[in-house]
Amino acid sequence: MQATTLGELKATSHQSLSIKDELRKNLIKQLQQKEAGFEGILGYDETVIPELQTAILARHNVLLLGLRGQAKTRIARLMVNLLDEYIPYIAGSEVFDDPLNPISWFGRNEIATKGDDTPIAWLHRSERYTEKLATPDVTVADLIGDVDPIKAANLKLTYNDERVIHFGLIPRAHRSIFVINELPDLQARIQVALFNMLQEKDIQIRGFKLRLPLDIQFVFTANPEDYTNRGSIVTPLKDRIESQILTHYPKSIEISRKITFQEAKLTPEQRLIEADGLVKDLVEQVAFEARKSEYIDQKSGVSARLTISAFENLIGNAERRMLINKEKDTFVRISDFSGIIPAVTGKIELVYEGELEGPAKVAHTLIGKAIKHLFVRYFPDPTRAKKSKTANPYTEITEWFTEGNTIDVDDNLTLTEYKKELYKVKGLEELIKKFHPKLSENQTLLLMEFVLHGLSEFSQLNKNYLNGGFGFSDMFESLFNADLTDEDEEDFG
């Protein structure tokens, strides 16, 4: 049973700990029991998490430095799990005074007047987290506090009395984790006020100086580009933040896939839609291609939210086709990738060259490069196969198109129409059976379409971008017969 008065609390074995010691105590217990900790954070097991644990053991304030979409804020939020489930505080205290170590006038006065009968309340760890997004319009009053003239008038107090102060977010986060996102966006004078609170343990408001030894675990987040683009962290504050930890994007397709699958918000019905490992890898590869594309501002970064949104769009596109065609089930096709364009264009910052190309064309280019990268995992390299002295496995397919044949693969085709289009191509099914004989019918169809896209990326076939799909034809015939302007309009209009 929890204590309800100061006297009852003193009679227990409760010890008063600072928040940094509390985090350290619970982390030590977690490490000794070999518990995972920071669940849901993937790809940081050998980099960010060990560095963060070291910082917590060292009782440091932390700066998480990295590009957007690198789970910085989520990591900060998960630190709450390292706090005790409940802590006592003096009931009615707006800064949640520790009953054994009060810092406010209210807390000290309660104990002075009521002694061991001082009422005690309990604060759950979920309430011990405060987050503030730094913007240029944030004021000292927002973060630290301001003099309240109405309170002074009602209580008949002079402005020399600390009771006239209306506390801001930081004092109200006493004994809690306080997170400031995008720290460089905070005006320099606000950062200086913040530093003064950290270093000197006092707050200064409109000439009023009050010693207030706040007990706070600070976590700051920042984008490295903010140092030059929008602002900077003032040197005294940066010096005061003891640990700076660099975050990063997933280093492998496998980890990226796990993050996307974990974060994608799909309905139970959408989860029944078949999404082969190939299409999942393609979604992730699009992001990897974007992170090295000359059309995209790499300093801005390519958020992990790109692949999450793209995968949701991919499933949604397949579901839409299933509903329109009144089919009971479906699977994700390569043609469904035309549906991820809105997810890609909304998540990338283009450089000048990219703006000239246009966001939709850049997105199509990224999808094409992803297909080309993964194609050689499943089939022989078409360029090498063409130069090889042995039989070229793609000859029958390309010759079929050379004879003037074309096909259109629209993302709204019924399964029957989809099959009919793909089976038109001579030698296509035989190629799949040769290199991947043990596949389901859906996987076979998917790879048949994948081959056409792959051959177009290796310049063996011509691919036109249609509304909601793709058209395939002979490479050379399209070069000689198509008017350049018309082709451009057809491809990217």
Side-chain angles (χ1 to χ4, degrees):
M1 186 177 173
Q2 292 177 329
T4 56
T5 65
L6 180 58
E8 289 177 13
L9 184 68
K10 286 179 178 176
T12 67
S13 59
H14 174 77
Q15 285 185 320
S16 181
L17 287 177
S18 72
I19 186 168
K20 287 183 170 68
D21 285 325
E22 186 184 331
L23 288 165
R24 174 183 159 83
K25 175 196 74 175
N26 291 322
L27 178 60
I28 289 171
K29 193 183 298 181
Q30 192 181 81
L31 291 172
Q32 287 174 337
Q33 293 173 357
K34 295 188 177 179
E35 294 176 4
F38 297 97
E39 289 182 14
I41 302 296
L42 304 173
Y44 284 168
D45 293 344
E46 297 175 2
T47 52
V48 176
I49 299 303
E51 291 175 5
L52 182 60
Q53 290 172 335
T54 300
I56 292 170
L57 292 173
R59 299 180 298 177
H60 284 177
N61 293 310
V62 174
L63 170 63
L64 295 170
L65 190 65
L67 297 170
R68 57 184 176 161
Q70 292 184 352
K72 300 187 292 294
T73 305
R74 172 172 284 201
I75 289 170
R77 289 173 182 167
L78 287 173
M79 284 177 67
V80 171
N81 296 332
L82 289 172
L83 296 172
D84 291 341
E85 188 172 7
Y86 286 96
I87 58 164
Y89 69 97
I90 298 172
S93 170
E94 61 182 332
V95 296
F96 303 106
D97 275 299
D98 184 344
L100 304 179
N101 185 26
I103 64 167
S104 72
W105 183 93
F106 174 86
R108 293 191 301 268
N109 184 65
E110 282 285 283
I111 292 174
T113 55
K114 298 177 182 175
D116 284 351
D117 292 327
T118 302
I120 300 297
W122 293 80
L123 188 68
H124 190 258
R125 61 184 165 211
S126 62
E127 299 177 80
R128 297 174 64 195
Y129 177 89
T130 305
E131 188 179 303
K132 179 65 178 171
L133 176 62
T135 54
D137 62 339
V138 172
T139 64
V140 172
D142 294 333
L143 290 183
I144 299 172
D146 204 350
V147 172
D148 187 343
I150 297 174
K151 189 186 284 188
N154 287 343
L155 298 176
K156 295 180 179 165
L157 301 170
T158 69
Y159 282 180
N160 289 328
D161 194 309
E162 66 180 87
R163 285 174 286 175
V164 304
I165 294 176
H166 172 77
F167 290 119
L169 283 171
I170 295 177
R172 290 172 186 272
H174 177 52
R175 306 173 73 201
S176 300
I177 296 169
F178 191 85
V179 178
I180 297 183
N181 282 319
E182 309 302 340
L183 181 60
D185 283 356
L186 215 54
Q187 290 182 39
R189 63 185 180 85
I190 313 294
Q191 292 186 40
V192 170
L194 192 62
F195 164 73
N196 200 63
M197 186 184 292
L198 282 167
Q199 186 73 58
E200 309 298 336
K201 297 291 183 185
D202 65 45
I203 61 174
Q204 295 180 20
I205 300 168
R206 299 186 186 277
F208 186 101
K209 187 173 180 179
L210 170 67
R211 178 146 182 83
L212 199 67
L214 293 169
D215 178 26
I216 296 175
Q217 170 66 52
F218 280 99
V219 180
F220 305 100
T221 74
N223 185 314
E225 275 309 294
D226 290 342
Y227 285 105
T228 54
N229 285 359
R230 297 198 294 254
S232 62
I233 301 175
V234 297
T235 307
L237 178 58
K238 195 161 65 169
D239 184 54
R240 179 63 181 161
I241 303 169
E242 299 95 338
S243 285
Q244 176 177 287
I245 298 170
L246 301 177
T247 58
H248 55 82
Y249 288 121
K251 294 182 177 179
S252 70
I253 290 283
E254 291 72 29
I255 291 170
S256 193
R257 254 180 75 166
K258 285 179 183 176
I259 293 170
T260 300
F261 193 73
Q262 173 182 280
E263 300 301 318
K265 294 179 176 64
L266 302 177
T267 66
E269 297 88 356
Q270 287 177 323
R271 292 188 183 278
L272 296 176
I273 293 171
E274 183 183 331
D276 192 76
L278 167 60
V279 295
K280 289 178 180 177
D281 282 351
L282 274 175
V283 170
E284 306 307 329
Q285 191 62 40
V286 168
F288 276 72
E289 294 297 335
R291 288 177 191 138
K292 59 186 181 183
S293 172
E294 68 273 20
Y295 295 130
I296 294 170
D297 184 1
Q298 300 306 319
K299 293 176 181 178
S300 175
V302 177
S303 169
R305 298 182 190 95
L306 183 148
T307 52
I308 297 163
S309 298
F311 185 65
E312 290 168 347
N313 269 18
L314 200 62
I315 297 295
N317 207 65
E319 183 181 33
R320 176 178 171 275
R321 174 181 60 253
M322 181 178 74
L323 295 170
I324 289 172
N325 294 332
K326 296 180 180 178
E327 294 175 327
K328 291 183 179 179
D329 53 46
T330 190
F331 63 95
V332 176
R333 306 169 184 172
I334 306 297
S335 51
D336 287 319
F337 275 78
S338 59
I340 78 168
I341 302 299
V344 177
T345 56
K347 299 285 188 297
I348 55 177
E349 295 288 333
L350 301 178
V351 295
Y352 178 70
E353 292 80 0
E355 295 286 358
L356 291 177
E357 293 288 320
K361 185 173 179 181
V362 170
H364 278 300
T365 301
L366 294 176
I367 294 168
K369 286 187 175 181
I371 289 170
K372 187 174 183 179
H373 180 89
L374 291 182
F375 188 80
V376 291
R377 286 193 195 174
Y378 291 80
F379 299 99
D381 185 322
T383 306
R384 290 183 181 177
K386 198 172 183 180
K387 295 176 181 176
S388 174
K389 293 178 182 178
T390 57
N392 183 348
Y394 306 110
T395 302
E396 194 173 3
I397 297 169
T398 53
E399 284 183 351
W400 185 82
F401 284 99
T402 305
E403 291 167 6
N405 296 305
T406 64
I407 67 164
D408 292 340
V409 184
D410 188 287
D411 64 353
N412 281 331
L413 294 177
T414 64
L415 181 60
T416 305
E417 291 167 339
Y418 182 64
K419 282 185 191 177
K420 187 179 177 183
E421 282 295 300
L422 292 175
Y423 279 109
K424 279 182 188 176
V425 184
K426 195 175 178 183
L428 188 54
E429 184 188 13
E430 290 76 7
L431 179 79
I432 309 304
K433 297 293 184 188
K434 178 181 178 182
F435 292 102
H436 301 280
K438 297 178 181 179
L439 293 180
S440 67
E441 184 184 29
N442 288 351
Q443 288 175 317
T444 301
L445 289 168
L446 176 68
L447 281 188
M448 286 169 75
E449 187 187 355
F450 182 56
V451 166
L452 299 179
H453 285 270
L455 290 176
S456 74
E457 294 304 324
F458 281 93
S459 302
Q460 309 284 307
L461 294 177
N462 180 60
K463 177 165 69 175
N464 295 321
Y465 296 97
L466 311 173
N467 286 329
F470 305 90
F472 296 94
S473 59
D474 177 54
M475 191 72 196
F476 298 103
E477 185 181 343
S478 66
L479 285 174
F480 291 123
N481 295 344
D483 179 75
L484 187 61
T485 307
D486 292 340
E487 185 185 23
D488 283 352
E489 288 174 356
E490 184 182 16
D491 282 3
F492 306 113

